[in-house]
mmCIF file of all heavy atoms in Angstrom:
data_model
loop_
_atom_site.group_PDB
_atom_site.id
_atom_site.type_symbol
_atom_site.label_atom_id
_atom_site.label_comp_id
_atom_site.label_asym_id
_atom_site.label_seq_id
_atom_site.Cartn_x
_atom_site.Cartn_y
_atom_site.Cartn_z
ATOM 1 N N LEU G 116 1.026 -9.496 15.155
ATOM 2 C CA LEU G 116 0.058 -9.099 16.175
ATOM 3 C C LEU G 116 -0.355 -10.309 17.021
ATOM 4 O O LEU G 116 -0.447 -10.215 18.255
ATOM 5 C CB LEU G 116 -1.168 -8.450 15.531
ATOM 6 C CG LEU G 116 -2.206 -7.868 16.475
ATOM 7 C CD1 LEU G 116 -1.604 -6.740 17.313
ATOM 8 C CD2 LEU G 116 -3.404 -7.363 15.698
ATOM 9 N N GLY G 117 -0.576 -11.449 16.383
ATOM 10 C CA GLY G 117 -0.935 -12.666 17.111
ATOM 11 C C GLY G 117 0.150 -13.103 18.078
ATOM 12 O O GLY G 117 -0.137 -13.474 19.224
ATOM 13 N N ILE G 118 1.399 -13.058 17.627
ATOM 14 C CA ILE G 118 2.528 -13.431 18.493
ATOM 15 C C ILE G 118 2.595 -12.486 19.702
ATOM 16 O O ILE G 118 2.773 -12.926 20.845
ATOM 17 C CB ILE G 118 3.856 -13.386 17.711
ATOM 18 C CG1 ILE G 118 3.870 -14.437 16.623
ATOM 19 C CG2 ILE G 118 5.066 -13.514 18.642
ATOM 20 C CD1 ILE G 118 4.018 -15.858 17.111
ATOM 21 N N LEU G 119 2.446 -11.198 19.457
ATOM 22 C CA LEU G 119 2.537 -10.218 20.545
ATOM 23 C C LEU G 119 1.394 -10.360 21.537
ATOM 24 O O LEU G 119 1.600 -10.280 22.756
ATOM 25 C CB LEU G 119 2.575 -8.799 19.981
ATOM 26 C CG LEU G 119 3.863 -8.422 19.250
ATOM 27 C CD1 LEU G 119 3.691 -7.134 18.464
ATOM 28 C CD2 LEU G 119 5.031 -8.328 20.221
ATOM 29 N N VAL G 120 0.180 -10.593 21.035
ATOM 30 C CA VAL G 120 -0.963 -10.777 21.933
ATOM 31 C C VAL G 120 -0.778 -12.058 22.758
ATOM 32 O O VAL G 120 -1.050 -12.077 23.961
ATOM 33 C CB VAL G 120 -2.300 -10.794 21.148
ATOM 34 C CG1 VAL G 120 -3.442 -11.276 21.989
ATOM 35 C CG2 VAL G 120 -2.588 -9.405 20.586
ATOM 36 N N ALA G 121 -0.311 -13.128 22.115
ATOM 37 C CA ALA G 121 -0.049 -14.368 22.844
ATOM 38 C C ALA G 121 1.003 -14.142 23.930
ATOM 39 O O ALA G 121 0.877 -14.652 25.051
ATOM 40 C CB ALA G 121 0.391 -15.466 21.884
ATOM 41 N N LYS G 122 2.014 -13.369 23.633
ATOM 42 C CA LYS G 122 3.053 -13.058 24.623
ATOM 43 C C LYS G 122 2.469 -12.233 25.770
ATOM 44 O O LYS G 122 2.749 -12.495 26.944
ATOM 45 C CB LYS G 122 4.207 -12.304 23.934
ATOM 46 C CG LYS G 122 5.318 -11.903 24.851
ATOM 47 C CD LYS G 122 6.080 -13.101 25.344
ATOM 48 C CE LYS G 122 7.296 -12.645 26.155
ATOM 49 N NZ LYS G 122 7.887 -13.756 26.866
ATOM 50 N N ALA G 123 1.632 -11.260 25.439
ATOM 51 C CA ALA G 123 1.030 -10.411 26.466
ATOM 52 C C ALA G 123 0.098 -11.202 27.378
ATOM 53 O O ALA G 123 -0.017 -10.916 28.573
ATOM 54 C CB ALA G 123 0.279 -9.254 25.817
ATOM 55 N N LEU G 124 -0.577 -12.214 26.833
ATOM 56 C CA LEU G 124 -1.504 -13.034 27.613
ATOM 57 C C LEU G 124 -0.803 -14.190 28.336
ATOM 58 O O LEU G 124 -1.458 -14.975 29.016
ATOM 59 C CB LEU G 124 -2.608 -13.579 26.701
ATOM 60 C CG LEU G 124 -3.518 -12.530 26.076
ATOM 61 C CD1 LEU G 124 -4.502 -13.179 25.118
ATOM 62 C CD2 LEU G 124 -4.240 -11.722 27.132
ATOM 63 N N GLY G 125 0.501 -14.293 28.152
ATOM 64 C CA GLY G 125 1.252 -15.351 28.840
ATOM 65 C C GLY G 125 1.131 -16.711 28.184
ATOM 66 O O GLY G 125 1.420 -17.728 28.832
ATOM 67 N N LEU G 126 0.720 -16.752 26.947
ATOM 68 C CA LEU G 126 0.559 -18.026 26.248
ATOM 69 C C LEU G 126 1.855 -18.535 25.629
ATOM 70 O O LEU G 126 1.927 -19.681 25.194
ATOM 71 C CB LEU G 126 -0.520 -17.906 25.174
ATOM 72 C CG LEU G 126 -1.919 -17.497 25.677
ATOM 73 C CD1 LEU G 126 -2.849 -17.296 24.505
ATOM 74 C CD2 LEU G 126 -2.449 -18.556 26.626
ATOM 75 N N LEU G 127 2.869 -17.672 25.583
ATOM 76 C CA LEU G 127 4.171 -18.069 25.055
ATOM 77 C C LEU G 127 5.167 -18.131 26.193
ATOM 78 O O LEU G 127 5.192 -17.271 27.068
ATOM 79 C CB LEU G 127 4.662 -17.058 24.008
ATOM 80 C CG LEU G 127 3.896 -16.993 22.708
ATOM 81 C CD1 LEU G 127 4.492 -15.915 21.799
ATOM 82 C CD2 LEU G 127 3.924 -18.331 21.983
ATOM 83 N N PRO G 128 6.027 -19.155 26.164
ATOM 84 C CA PRO G 128 7.036 -19.243 27.250
ATOM 85 C C PRO G 128 8.125 -18.184 27.062
ATOM 86 O O PRO G 128 8.352 -17.677 25.985
ATOM 87 C CB PRO G 128 7.614 -20.646 27.055
ATOM 88 C CG PRO G 128 7.365 -20.979 25.626
ATOM 89 C CD PRO G 128 6.109 -20.269 25.237
#
Side-chain angles (χ1 to χ4, degrees):
L116 185 62
I118 295 288
L119 290 167
V120 167
K122 179 69 174 168
L124 296 176
L126 301 175
L127 292 179

